């Protein structure tokens, strides 16, 4: 798939087929996150790839919107150090967002769907994943083949009109 088509086809997928995602594809998706830009090239992230069914079920309970993780063939947890300042919180959050989007586009390119989730219960998430103290699980990314329809460019996305969002030169 061309990059532009992957961008247009990407959508949140929260229902997956039972088909497993290969280790090679999971590594490629993680590599896309690893290659993402970051402020001062600090690369604050670590990624934990999870394919164990019991672990995925447990992870689905760390946030009210994480239910789809239980039925996903895989998930990637995005982990960052607890930020030492408000400024680092801002830059690390931006960086982890870039890594997340890079992974989503790479997955879409492979025909694999993704659905992101926040993490509310940090203690539980860290325990499930063995994340050391001083770090937090920023987000979860469910990964699997879409159960409803394949990933193809969306012709009419549910978005605010382009002409209302994009401004040239001035607001």
């Amino acid at each position: 798939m061309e990059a532009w088509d992957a961008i247009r086809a990407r959508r949140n997928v929260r229902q997956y087929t039972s088909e497993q995602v290969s280790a090679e594809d999971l590594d490629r998706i993680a590599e896309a996150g690893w290659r993402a830009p970051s402020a001062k090239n600090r690369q604050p992230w670590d990624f934990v790839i999870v394919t164990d069914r019991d672990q995925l079920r447990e992870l689905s309970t760390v946030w009210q919107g994480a239910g789809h993780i239980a039925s996903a063939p895989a998930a990637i947890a995005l982990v960052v150090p607890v930020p030492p300042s408000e400024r680092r919180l801002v830059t690390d959050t931006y960086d982890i967002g870039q890594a997340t989007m890079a992974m989503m586009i790479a997955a879409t390119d492979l025909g694999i769907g993704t659905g992101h989730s926040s993490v509310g219960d940090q203690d539980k998430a860290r325990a499930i994943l063995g994340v050391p103290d001083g770090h937090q699980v920023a987000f979860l990314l469910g990964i699997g083949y879409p159960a409803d329809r394949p990933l193809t460019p969306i012709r009419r996305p549910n978005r605010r009109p382009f002409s209302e969002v994009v401004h040239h030169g001035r607001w």
Side-chain angles (χ1 to χ4, degrees), residues 22-36:
S22 73
E24 294 79 19
D25 285 347
L26 289 171
D27 282 346
R28 182 172 175 161
I29 293 165
E31 183 177 343
W34 173 75
R35 289 179 176 272

Side-chain angles (χ1 to χ4, degrees), residues 92 104 112-113:
D92 287 358
M104 292 173 142
I112 298 169

Side-chain angles (χ1 to χ4, degrees), residues 24-152:
E24 294 79 19
D25 285 347
L26 289 171
D27 282 346
R28 182 172 175 161
I29 293 165
E31 183 177 343
W34 173 75
R35 289 179 176 272
S38 70
K40 296 185 179 180
N41 199 29
R42 278 196 352 271
Q43 306 165 55
W45 48 66
D46 283 274
F47 309 129
V48 181
I49 298 173
V50 179
T51 57
D52 178 78
R53 178 70 30 225
D54 291 335
Q55 207 176 3
L56 290 164
R57 274 194 282 274
E58 283 187 77
L59 280 174
S60 75
T61 66
V62 300
W63 179 252
Q64 61 197 12
H68 65 285
I69 301 297
S71 63
I76 296 178
L78 295 95
V79 179
V80 293
V82 173
S85 66
E86 186 67 28
R87 180 68 187 150
R88 279 287 292 275
L89 173 63
V90 170
T91 59
D92 287 358
T93 301
Y94 187 81
D95 289 354
I96 206 76
Q98 292 186 102
T100 301
M101 189 63 175
M103 287 191 240
M104 292 173 142
I105 297 300
T108 302
D109 181 58
L110 297 168
I112 298 169
T114 57
H116 60 279
S117 172
S118 292
V119 176
D121 190 336
Q122 283 294 321
D123 291 336
K124 187 173 187 179
R126 281 194 302 270
I128 293 166
L129 297 168
V131 171
D133 289 341
H135 290 75
Q136 59 189 18
V137 182
F139 298 100
L140 300 173
L141 191 60
I143 300 172
Y145 294 95
D148 56 353
R149 65 189 193 279
L151 296 168
T152 58

